[in-house]
Amino acid sequence: MTQDTPILPASSGAATEAPKPTKKVFVKTYGCQMNVYDSERMGDALSNDGYQAVDSVEAADLVLINTCHIREKAAEKVYSQLGRLAQLKQQRKARGENLMVAVAGCVAQAEGDEIIRRAPVVDVVIGPQTYHRLPVALARARNGERVVETEFPSEDKFDRLPAASAGTIRTRGVSAFLTVQEGCDKFCTFCVVPYTRGAEVSRPVERIVGEAERLAAAGVREVTLLGQNVNAWHGQGSDGREWGLGELVRRLAGIEGLDRIRYTTSHPRDMDDALINAHRDLPELMPYLHLPVQSGSDRILKAMNRRHTAADYLRLVERIRSARPDIALSGDFIVGFPGETDEDFEATMRLIEEVEYAAAFSFKYSIRPGTPGADMDGQVDEAVKSERLARLQALISRQTREFGRKCVGRTVELLLDKPGRNTGQLVGRSPWLQPVIVDAKAGEIGDIVTVRIIETGPNSLFAEPVGPQSGNQGARSFDS
Ligand code: SAH
Ligand code: SF4
Ligand code: F3S
């Protein structure tokens, strides 16, 4: 996933306590949803520091790149972008202006000093656990220092980041991310996340509830709880007991105005009964689960250190589906992990056939320096990886289309979240995360409306409103 993320309202300082903006920042976000969330939180910190967001590099005094290290291609993008920025910085310098460049995120964490060496254009390198120090780092950089902040500090960055003000949140729309857990102790042999994000940390219940309440008060109707291993989240609940994600979701479902809860990404080993039962019991918990399995071959799963078998995964899927029969599943797959034979790959294809996914992300194995997979024998030929990936993606596309077709004729609730490409249309999300296009008369952005799915398109579904005044179904308007 790659996206431009305007992190601050384009017009003025959103937080009432924020100073009048005098500086301009352009933010580019790569990587996972947690990076999107982090960019928003860095934006809050910067708006308190006198910055406002702009949507072009040319208009900015500061360019902040929030980077991803998960695959080689993702990491390399950073350097090509820094090359372009170097030219721009020269041009600005010739005009007597200063363009500052900060690199944040997982490449910053993994390659800190090397970035400074390889890219003289960079003023600040800041890792994911030190974002709260960004304004101070920028101040030091303005005094001519080149700053690298990549240690894992003992203080909690979330406690030190300014709470997002209602004004800032409003620009995030009706659906928001909320990080509840960060880091990873699983050490899958292909993956850099345990190194770039550090050990698993869960945020305390009351912080999460407080943030969710502020979001709901600002008009957010759907939150997606984020964590690299979100279902490993645990914390002390209000009853003094240790809660897992199932209990947390139950608590959040009680917040007035918060009608939809999602969470991502889950590890199969951490799906406990309380969470599965939450899917059975809570209408607020959306029937969609991203549950990566990576491979369908036990040999490869073992080499990946996933610590479960294909049969364990299939049994788990069965338990989840018997708790919530309409749940849609998505997954992640890696093809061409070292040692993967044709037979191993066929086992992955069989698993996909058996599960029937609504969607999936799939990748060619990418060697990550410093991970155990990088030194394994039997690295797979690039051409073989490409061929396997194409077959796997064709199968998944068929399943996604089939899932869409099965939705035709169903009556579903849509959260209307943005205008459609054509005037007179709105786009909403189905409970299964599909974008659904509907006539704008169906309601207003922020409404949850009842519609009937009438047709499938290449990337979205089409629906018609059901009932006379479905515009206000179960919802207050976004602005009320
Ligand atoms: N915490 C999540 C995944 C985080 S990374 C989980 O455990 O599932 C997102 C996805 O990127 C992974 O699920 C995996 O499919 C893919 N990925 C991670 N490292 C990779 C690598 N070295 N090469 C190719 N794909 C990789
Ligand atoms: Fe990476 Fe595995 Fe941790 Fe997921 S569980 S973040 S794939 S090490
Ligand atoms: Fe990428 Fe870091 Fe997320 S490596 S996927 S940005 S945790």
Side-chain angles (χ1 to χ4, degrees):
M1 189 183 17
T2 295
Q3 46 196 292
D4 289 304
T5 312
I7 50 168
L8 304 174
S11 52
S12 69
T16 37
E17 71 277 16
K20 206 169 153 32
T22 53
K23 297 168 278 190
K24 298 186 174 73
V25 57
F26 173 76
V27 178
K28 175 86 181 167
T29 305
Y30 296 100
C32 60
Q33 289 142 326
M34 194 170 287
N35 261 14
V36 175
Y37 175 84
D38 286 344
S39 287
E40 287 169 354
R41 296 303 302 267
M42 284 190 278
D44 295 336
L46 288 175
S47 83
N48 286 355
D49 198 36
Y51 278 94
Q52 77 176 95
V54 290
D55 54 14
S56 79
V57 173
E58 286 70 27
D61 312 304
L62 166 66
V63 175
L64 174 61
I65 311 176
N66 199 3
T67 61
C68 174
H69 200 245
I70 202 81
R71 284 167 291 275
E72 192 182 355
K73 261 198 195 136
E76 277 308 312
K77 270 186 202 152
V78 180
Y79 289 104
S80 53
Q81 199 157 22
L82 289 175
R84 287 193 296 274
L85 285 173
Q87 281 183 336
L88 193 64
K89 194 167 181 147
Q90 280 304 327
Q91 291 165 9
R92 291 281 190 88
K93 209 171 172 181
R95 296 206 303 262
E97 294 166 10
N98 186 21
L99 175 68
M100 290 183 67
V101 176
V103 178
C106 290
V107 179
Q109 188 63 45
E111 299 184 2
D113 292 317
E114 200 189 327
I115 297 177
I116 291 282
R117 259 197 312 277
R118 259 179 84 174
V121 67
V122 174
D123 300 289
V124 171
V125 174
I126 193 150
Q129 304 310 330
T130 31
Y131 290 153
H132 53 294
R133 298 188 186 163
L134 182 58
V136 175
L138 290 171
R140 282 164 58 196
R142 265 180 231 113
N143 287 331
E145 204 182 325
R146 298 184 77 202
V147 184
V148 180
E149 281 272 18
T150 51
E151 79 278 29
F152 290 105
S154 53
E155 76 254 26
D156 178 355
K157 69 174 173 196
F158 292 113
D159 286 349
R160 280 149 211 276
L161 279 167
S165 69
T168 313
I169 290 165
R170 189 165 287 267
T171 65
R172 290 171 194 165
V174 296
S175 182
F177 293 133
L178 201 177
T179 293
V180 301
Q181 180 280 334
E182 202 172 347
C184 181
D185 298 338
K186 297 275 191 303
F187 290 93
C188 301
T189 53
F190 51 82
C191 184
V192 292
V193 170
Y195 312 95
T196 60
R197 292 275 170 169
E200 279 181 13
V201 177
S202 292
R203 290 178 71 193
V205 176
E206 66 275 18
R207 303 271 166 186
I208 297 166
V209 170
E211 192 167 330
E213 284 173 345
R214 278 195 300 279
L215 289 166
V220 168
R221 304 207 61 187
E222 173 180 87
V223 287
T224 302
L225 308 177
L226 299 181
Q228 267 92 21
N229 275 286
V230 71
N231 57 345
W233 177 90
H234 58 94
Q236 203 185 28
S238 45
D239 54 6
R241 286 187 313 109
E242 178 88 350
W243 283 6
L245 191 68
E247 282 95 356
L248 178 68
V249 167
R250 220 169 264 274
R251 170 71 184 84
L252 297 176
I255 294 175
E256 178 69 31
L258 213 57
D259 298 292
R260 289 183 161 196
I261 299 170
R262 304 179 184 276
Y263 59 93
T264 196
T265 295
S266 297
H267 193 288
R269 282 177 61 90
D270 294 318
M271 274 322 281
D272 64 10
D273 286 341
L275 188 53
I276 295 175
N277 292 343
H279 277 288
R280 182 194 60 200
D281 300 339
L282 300 174
E284 292 86 354
L285 186 54
M286 290 293 102
Y288 185 98
L289 178 61
H290 185 57
L291 194 63
V293 63
Q294 315 296 352
S295 167
S297 153
D298 288 344
R299 231 172 49 81
I300 296 298
L301 286 169
K302 191 159 196 291
M304 287 175 163
N305 192 33
R306 292 290 291 183
R307 298 188 295 142
H308 61 76
T309 62
D312 292 335
Y313 182 83
L314 292 172
R315 265 195 303 274
L316 175 61
V317 165
E318 214 178 280
R319 276 171 55 217
I320 296 165
R321 284 197 166 136
S322 56
R324 180 80 206 219
D326 70 337
I327 201 160
L329 291 175
S330 71
D332 289 344
F333 295 91
I334 294 177
V335 299
F337 185 79
E340 187 186 72
T341 61
D342 284 339
E343 220 165 279
D344 293 317
F345 175 67
E346 295 307 330
T348 302
M349 295 291 273
R350 279 198 301 278
L351 179 138
I352 296 172
E353 297 269 13
E354 200 151 330
V355 173
E356 290 186 38
Y357 287 93
F361 301 94
S362 47
F363 314 97
K364 291 193 257 187
Y365 171 69
S366 167
I367 294 177
R368 307 313 294 128
T371 61
D375 301 322
M376 285 183 186
D377 293 335
Q379 299 290 337
V380 176
D381 223 57
E382 217 34 49
V384 175
K385 286 186 200 170
S386 301
E387 191 263 334
R388 287 180 187 164
L389 187 69
R391 278 187 55 205
L392 189 151
Q393 290 185 335
L395 175 56
I396 294 286
S397 305
R398 276 204 300 282
Q399 294 192 342
T400 304
R401 280 197 303 275
E402 183 54 28
F403 183 74
R405 263 199 299 277
K406 281 195 199 145
C407 292
V408 174
R410 278 197 203 172
T411 300
V412 306
E413 294 206 322
L414 280 193
L415 171 59
L416 300 176
D417 63 359
K418 59 179 184 201
R421 207 172 295 158
N422 301 329
T423 38
Q425 289 183 335
L426 289 176
V427 184
R429 287 275 168 182
S430 78
W432 307 287
L433 214 51
Q434 300 141 302
V436 182
I437 297 166
V438 69
D439 191 292
K441 290 196 199 84
E444 287 173 37
I445 289 175
D447 286 350
I448 294 177
V449 297
T450 306
V451 300
R452 188 181 305 109
I453 308 288
I454 49 173
E455 209 186 322
T456 60
N459 303 309
S460 44
L461 303 174
F462 295 90
E464 62 185 14
V466 176
Q469 11 86 321
S470 52
N472 295 320
Q473 281 270 334
R476 64 195 153 71
S477 115
F478 180 45
D479 286 323
S480 65

